[in-house]
Amino acid sequence: MSDLKIHPIESPTHEGVVLVELSGEASVVNLQPLERKVLEWSASRPKVLVLDLANLTFMSSLAMGQFATLHQTLHRVGGQLRLARLQEIVKLSLTRARLDRALKIYDTLEAALAG
């Protein structure tokens, strides 16, 4: 099992967009950093939050719940959550949970940043 790592990335060409890379596994065991960040992101109310998931290898149902909560919170204040570059296993998990219908999922980082 690998730890969940959360890396903010500067995006000077996309004003109002917060770009964050998640890597490792978002499992029950290491969900606390994600929970803290979700609270932080919700409080800061970014216009757009892009999560680059290219290096996220696993997502538990609790992590999916965190994403759904974050999506709802940002949507209520006029913001958007966008997910980019999902690995097939993560995409399949979101599809099975039917979260792909609510969350904005993009194949490329460029598309997610552009919206």
Side-chain angles (χ1 to χ4, degrees):
M1 180 182 323
S2 77
D3 289 340
L4 176 65
K5 294 177 180 65
I6 302 170
H7 306 282
I9 301 169
E10 293 296 321
S11 181
T13 58
H14 295 87
E15 192 173 323
V17 175
V18 175
L19 174 59
V20 180
E21 177 188 18
L22 278 84
S23 61
E25 296 181 359
S27 67
V28 175
V29 176
N30 57 17
L31 198 58
Q32 282 185 336
L34 180 61
E35 289 173 334
R36 282 193 298 273
K37 280 297 189 181
V38 164
L39 289 173
E40 219 176 275
W41 293 326
S42 296
S44 69
R45 298 179 173 191
K47 180 179 166 188
V48 176
L49 173 61
V50 176
L51 299 181
D52 181 359
L53 306 182
N55 295 310
L56 188 70
T57 57
F58 174 79
M59 181 185 292
S60 71
S61 59
L62 289 174
M64 285 186 248
Q66 289 293 315
F67 280 29
T69 298
L70 181 58
H71 164 73
Q72 291 169 344
T73 302
L74 292 178
H75 184 74
R76 276 196 303 268
V77 297
Q80 289 185 0
L81 173 63
R82 300 176 188 166
L83 308 180
R85 303 193 313 159
L86 284 70
Q87 290 197 19
E88 199 56 40
I89 188 71
V90 173
K91 195 173 197 176
L92 181 61
S93 296
L94 289 172
T95 300
R96 285 187 177 158
R98 298 186 182 192
L99 287 173
D100 61 325
R101 296 176 183 180
L103 300 174
K104 294 182 183 276
I105 298 173
Y106 297 85
D107 291 333
T108 67
L109 192 54
E110 294 76 19
L113 289 168

